[in-house]
Amino acid sequence: MTPLNPEVTKFLATQPLKMFIDGRWVEAKSGATFETRDPGEGKVLAKVAEGDAADVGAAVAAAQKAFQKSGWATMPANDRAVILHRLADLITKHADNLAQIESLDVGKPRGQAAAFDVPHAAQTFRYYADLAVQTRRREPIAISGFDARTVRVPYGVCGFIFPWNFPFLLVGWGVAPALAAGNTVVIKPAEDTPLSTLYFAKLAEEAGVPAGVINVVTGFGHTAGAALASHTGIKRMSFTGSPEVGRLIAEACGKNLVPVKLELGGKGAAVIFDDVNVDAVAEALAGAVTLNAGQVCCTATRWLVHEKIHDAFVKKATSTLAAMKIGYGANPETNIGPVVSEKQRMRVMGYLDRGMKTGAKLLLEGGHAEVKGYEQGYYVKPALMTGAPDNVCAREEIFGPIAYVMKFNDEDKGIELVNSSAYGLANSVWSADLERANRVAERLVAGNSWINAHNLFAHGMPYGGCNLSGCGGGVLGPETLADYLRNQTVARPLA
Ligand code: ADP
């Protein structure tokens, strides 16, 4: 196991970690702190400033001032792009530190954070910085009798509340388009995983992002989060997390008539036809459902397997899942790290229990996993369940390494079953018949339909949900930049 980089040790040693408001590192006004834990060891990793409504107020005021006076909102997009590229360069330069911090705080395998989360986030800043340069800010309107145009301007202060499954990656997806458009931001990371966002603020400072443009308030959801969502100084809000909290955020924003983007949970399905390479698909889906210990909102957790290949598929999936190495995130052999917290571990165990009590069966037994040397960590084994489509484990998002397998034999019935979900984030179709795969993909009701793969993300390919999975336009697409620019019509009658 590679030891922590000296920079990471130094970063963690400056406890309690302060928040970043108006270009300064500050304690909570109340002086309160909270603890973030290493889920792999179950031990306290760092003490962090516990911000509340007063700190959110200071952060929003700082962001308002920066929007009006720092020059960020009015500088040409290419000048902002230079700074955002510098920020991306710094993320790349410190990628290993960030991957270590993310792995420690979330529990995810360090290699995954290094290979995906961190470089992908750096790329997000580059993508939106460049897109903003190419975006027309003034469009003439060809209407007789008027000299008119649409001017596209940033909104002002944008609020962001993030979850704990991909803290760093999601900061990139969220704030990069807002910043590239010229807005200023207040970020409330999840209380379980605030560290990489604080490190990000440090890099933003070094990159020359003006004071007050990026503010980070660490703290709890019902205090700091709720204060941010209901602050009248916010002009646009973005939330990523559970539908339950998403509803609260939307209500708060509704009261202030603030537009909101919601990226919520999912109960993604994979529809596997009988013409696939069974072993390859079983391996791919076993990988998908265990990625980030199953704490991925868009992953495939309902597997609809054609009855002709069902038994062979289950056999291969079971052996693949059973062979996966559960362990500490910094161990290079680890495939599945711990889940993020004891609360999350109990949630996963609770679902297994409820599912079984209401008639589901286990094809592969899950439950608590013991990892030698890490007995206090929050480890869970992958599980394969099966049973009726209305079982709680087939309907609700578990957010753990658990898949629910169901048989099907008819294309229409398979589609109907997928679409019976209250969610609508991402599904996949697996078939050698591309005509069929495309046909089915278009009939599945969700923000994303993937073919012969699951969990596909690329800059320029919009990603978002419908129904319980969210609304407000999604992320990663060119439209997301437009979401952070409001249109203003400027018109003069021609005499
Ligand atoms: P989980 O319950 O699994 O932690 P949540 O959806 O509750 O997932 O958390 C996502 C984010 O929402 C976190 O940053 C959390 O602090 C925040 N949050 C939780 N409750 C509220 C709330 N009432 N108002 C605003 N933000 C909240």
Side-chain angles (χ1 to χ4, degrees), residues 64 171 179 233 248 250 298 300 317 339 351 364 417 438 464:
Q64 278 169 330
V171 164
L179 291 170
L248 297 176
C298 58
V339 294
Y351 267 110
L364 173 68
L417 188 50
N438 281 302

Side-chain angles (χ1 to χ4, degrees), residues 161-164 188-191 220-222 225-226 239-242 245 248-249 343:
I161 297 176
F162 291 114
W164 41 258
K188 210 296 282 173
E191 51 272 38
F220 290 96
H222 62 281
F239 170 78
T240 312
S242 61
V245 178
L248 297 176
I249 307 286
K343 179 179 154 203

